[in-house]
Amino acid sequence: MKTIIEPFKIKSVEPIYFTTKEQRIELLKEAHYNPFLIKAKDVIIDLLTDSGTSAMSSNQWAGIMQGDESYAGSPSFFRFEKVIQDITGMPIVIPTHQGRAAEKILFSILGGKGKYFVSNTLFDTTRANIEFSGAEGVDLLCEEGKYPTISAPFKGNMDVRALENFIVEKGAANIPLCIITVTNNSGGGQPVSMQNIKDVKKVCNDNKIPLFIDACRFAENSYFIKIREEGYADKEVSEIARELFSLADGCTMSAKKDAFANIGGFLAMHDEKLALNCRNLLVITEGFPTYGGLAGRDLEAIAIGLKEVMEENYLHYRIRSIEYLTNKLIAAGVPVMQPAGGHAVYLDAKQFLSHIPVDQYPGQALVGALYISGGIRGVEIGSLMFGKYDDAHKLIPAQMELVRLAIPRRVYTQSHIDYVSEVIIEVFNNRKEIKGLVITEESQMLRHFTAKLKPAE
Ligand SMILES: *Cc1c(COP(=O)(O)O)cnc(C)c1O
């Protein structure tokens, strides 16, 4: 088989600024060992997130110029609305400035004390918005999803039995929504099967609990269904996506992921009454319902991106490039989440740095080592992000200690990815020298964004 090439040519380029290892040691210290506090110009390969970092196409840039900035009833909104209606089959489309703004609106209305939101795995902003409303978020991930090195095709699936049990335990009346995150961002970018969504939908229906999709990576998930689930090989990705959304009552989406946009999001649904409440809140927090926190030009870029993302040449290359990096690391003995997910490579820091205890944040320590060694910026998805404290202020660790290396869409080429694998393997071979970290300053919510750390004694 020949090399799978990037299915695009480069028309506009951005420089990468190089730093030395000595400089990066100082820069990391100045950033308090938190990659979110490093300046982007001091990063060589930025794998912090795939969110809002996509390269837009020439078509999207052309769309930017066609954006109509009318306050009300902009044609850009109607194009945006039509594309989303076509993909999701949902008649009501509410634009927001990001995914979390859609979440804030939804959970402000449906949340509150004593309520539970169940999910395969809630993303951090989703969980934070649920908790901010006073409600509780509950992850019911399938068993195989909990072990990074077990290989299974749909490790993002929800545990349907656990869902049934949870409903019996807490009562359906206390569960306003079930949310399926596709792909499962916090759980390794692993996909959810169509069958699993059908099974979850049935349980939801039996208990009159609406099902929402957190649709940030719907195209990547749909492509996984095409290549991994029986009966889907000959279907178009757009058909698969349409089937997936047909099982749901609504969705939230960040357009910064599978819409190749640098900003944006939306809520879509069937329920008119819920939509009325959402729009009321939208007007006071985001904007008028035909722009909702976005410029007309953003609405255009999103509408075009949502169609481009379902092109199979693109998805083939996209999924393959993640797999390519994953396989290189496996061959070198580096512990990575398997199989490769949709948008990122996840290093298993617990195994990678088995000499560092979880309360010294091995994931964060590994993030620092990758930066120092090669100027690569990744993010910890482990106990810094999801850890809690018990009453004695002892850390209750997260289920997994992962480092996510998210690959921006259409941004880096194969040689960038080769460089990344070389750096990771070098760090792996010198892993015993890496030390743990302790927190010196933190906030109560989403602490990983702002926390300050220092090397453990
Ligand atoms: C990024 C993301 C969100 C939040 O979207 P923002 O646009 O960053 O606010 C929600 N859920 C998942 C799964 C995500 O990946």
Side-chain angles (χ1 to χ4, degrees):
M1 203 162 77
K2 298 200 181 68
T3 304
I4 296 163
I5 60 170
E6 287 85 7
F8 48 80
K9 299 183 287 181
I10 297 167
K11 180 174 297 198
S12 179
V13 297
E14 283 181 279
I16 287 175
Y17 299 103
F18 292 92
T19 46
T20 64
K21 187 168 174 178
E22 287 65 39
Q23 288 170 325
R24 291 193 292 271
I25 289 171
E26 275 315 300
L27 289 164
L28 186 65
K29 199 162 141 197
E30 283 165 24
H32 303 279
Y33 298 87
N34 184 343
F36 286 101
L37 305 180
I38 300 173
K39 293 192 178 101
K41 73 163 180 42
D42 296 327
V43 175
I44 296 175
I45 304 281
D46 204 345
L47 309 182
L48 185 70
T49 176
D50 63 324
S51 178
T53 53
S54 299
M56 292 213 294
S57 66
S58 49
N59 251 331
Q60 283 179 295
W61 283 108
I64 290 275
M65 288 308 293
Q66 295 197 325
D68 179 294
E69 306 302 342
S70 303
Y71 191 92
S74 158
S76 300
F77 171 72
F78 295 112
R79 279 191 279 274
F80 171 89
E81 183 186 46
K82 171 86 171 48
V83 168
I84 294 164
Q85 286 169 339
D86 286 349
I87 293 171
T88 64
M90 295 173 194
I92 299 161
V93 177
I94 300 171
T96 59
H97 81 275
Q98 280 196 221
R100 73 195 66 183
E103 293 165 355
K104 175 81 173 90
I105 289 170
L106 190 64
F107 299 124
S108 298
I109 293 164
L110 298 177
K113 236 184 151 40
K115 303 267 169 65
Y116 300 91
F117 289 86
V118 289
S119 174
N120 51 341
T121 307
L122 296 161
F123 182 62
D124 58 354
T125 60
T126 323
R127 171 174 291 280
N129 272 304
I130 288 169
E131 289 175 0
F132 191 70
S133 83
E136 236 176 89
V138 181
D139 294 343
L140 302 173
L141 185 64
C142 66
E143 203 50 33
E144 61 269 29
K146 294 174 188 165
Y147 304 96
T149 47
I150 290 181
S151 196
F154 292 104
K155 291 173 75 174
N157 281 354
M158 192 165 185
D159 183 336
V160 181
R161 179 72 51 84
L163 172 63
E164 288 170 329
N165 292 342
F166 189 83
I167 295 171
V168 170
E169 190 189 329
K170 302 292 182 187
N174 298 317
I175 306 172
L177 272 191
C178 173
I179 301 146
I180 294 204
T181 311
V182 298
T183 57
N184 182 9
N185 186 3
S186 318
Q190 299 293 324
V192 182
S193 72
M194 193 73 83
Q195 189 57 52
N196 186 248
I197 302 176
K198 283 182 187 164
D199 295 343
V200 168
K201 174 67 180 167
K202 176 153 190 329
V203 174
C204 287
N205 268 356
D206 292 347
N207 292 280
K208 300 201 167 53
I209 298 170
L211 174 64
F212 265 55
I213 305 281
D214 179 339
C216 294
R217 299 177 181 81
F218 76 96
E220 288 168 6
N221 201 96
S222 297
Y223 187 72
F224 277 120
I225 290 174
K226 182 183 170 89
I227 60 176
R228 291 187 186 168
E229 190 163 352
E230 217 185 300
Y232 289 93
D234 297 329
K235 294 209 164 127
E236 302 267 337
V237 170
S238 56
E239 260 179 277
I240 297 171
R242 181 76 187 235
E243 181 181 345
L244 189 155
F245 283 114
S246 77
L247 296 165
D249 299 281
C251 68
T252 58
M253 174 154 177
S254 166
K256 302 174 73 171
K257 321 291 170 56
D258 267 0
F260 300 121
N262 303 122
I263 197 75
F266 62 84
L267 257 167
M269 63 190 77
H270 290 278
D271 184 343
E272 286 283 353
K273 214 171 110 208
L274 177 61
L276 189 71
N277 287 329
C278 289
R279 285 196 178 117
N280 285 340
L281 207 50
L282 182 85
V283 173
I284 56 172
T285 59
E286 291 287 290
F288 189 75
T290 62
Y291 73 85
L294 292 169
R297 62 179 85 98
D298 300 323
L299 296 170
E300 292 283 354
I302 294 166
I304 295 164
L306 282 170
K307 284 197 269 186
E308 287 178 357
V309 80
M310 292 190 289
E311 282 169 16
E312 274 178 40
N313 277 340
Y314 162 71
L315 285 167
H316 182 48
Y317 138 81
R318 170 76 176 159
I319 300 304
R320 174 60 197 154
S321 61
I322 313 289
E323 192 182 50
Y324 173 79
L325 178 54
T326 304
N327 290 349
K328 280 198 160 202
L329 297 176
I330 292 171
V334 178
V336 291
M337 183 115 179
Q338 292 183 48
H343 66 289
V345 173
Y346 293 73
L347 306 176
D348 181 357
K350 218 185 259 181
Q351 229 184 305
F352 197 118
L353 298 178
S354 54
H355 61 287
I356 299 181
V358 286
D359 62 359
Q360 289 184 9
Y361 304 101
Q364 192 74 358
L366 180 52
V367 165
L370 295 174
Y371 178 71
I372 288 174
S373 180
I376 295 168
R377 175 156 71 168
V379 68
E380 190 251 22
I381 299 202
S383 291
L384 184 64
M385 189 180 270
F386 290 121
K388 298 254 150 97
Y389 293 114
D390 66 13
D391 292 339
H393 205 71
K394 191 171 169 324
L395 179 77
I396 306 168
Q399 213 150 43
M400 297 188 256
E401 303 294 337
L402 302 174
V403 168
R404 186 187 73 180
L405 303 168
I407 314 293
R409 294 171 181 78
R410 307 191 291 207
V411 171
Y412 292 116
T413 63
Q414 187 170 339
S415 62
H416 292 117
I417 299 294
D418 285 334
Y419 170 80
V420 170
S421 74
E422 289 159 17
V423 171
I424 296 170
I425 292 165
E426 181 183 83
V427 169
F428 183 65
N429 292 336
N430 299 310
R431 62 191 179 279
K432 292 283 180 271
E433 293 163 23
I434 301 169
K435 295 203 167 62
L437 296 166
V438 292
I439 295 176
T440 59
E441 243 184 82
E442 63 186 303
S443 64
Q444 256 193 335
M445 287 218 156
L446 299 176
R447 65 174 179 168
H448 56 287
F449 285 144
T450 53
K452 295 180 177 173
L453 300 99
K454 64 171 191 191
E457 295 300 316

